[in-house]
Amino acid sequence: MQNFDKILLAVDFSDSSMNACEYALALATKFGSKLIIVHVINEPVDLRGFYVPHISFDRLEQEIEEGARKMMDKFVANSLGGFANFETLILSGIPYEEILKKSEEEHADLIVLGTHGRTGIDHLLFGSTAERVVRTAKCPVLTVRMS
Ligand code: AMP
């Protein structure tokens, strides 16, 4: 069987992704894997240099990144217990694209994510990020539904 040396966990800080984290953590502990925890800031591409002058947009971007970093630090402090073999990444772009790109760059053996996220619509089987990752990923994907 394939080793799970690297597990990429995608988090949007929703309850669903926190729930997925418990599974990623259990697997990483069992298989001695490194956890790569990724959050993607949804890049507002159309905003850049169009509605907002560059200087204030740059500042806004910086503040968004700092906010995301703080949320990630809080997430890690609350969710990982004593688990130390992890790395966190804050990326910008379209979430499913960045998750897939990073999973390939890192040669991740598994991607773990919630079936739904902050924007998830409950009656759908998968949210749009989850669906696109499942359909396109080159490695196995574990999607976790909140019970
Ligand atoms: P969604 O498909 O957007 O409903 O979200 C499903 C799952 O995809 C979430 O529970 C997260 O695990 C992951 N996800 C969604 N958005 C992001 C994001 N911006 N950054 C990282 N992971 C995300």
Side-chain angles (χ1 to χ4, degrees), residues 10-12 14 16-17 38-40 95 99 113-114 116-117 119-120 127-130:
V11 295
D12 61 356
S14 61
S16 175
S17 66
V38 172
H39 174 70
V40 185
I99 291 165
L113 73 180
H116 297 85
T119 54
S128 63
T129 304

Side-chain angles (χ1 to χ4, degrees), residues 58-73:
D58 286 348
R59 199 169 304 140
L60 177 67
E61 211 171 36
Q62 196 185 330
E63 286 194 11
I64 289 171
E65 207 173 316
E66 281 168 16
R69 172 58 53 205
K70 280 187 189 152
M71 290 176 86
M72 178 64 94
D73 290 346

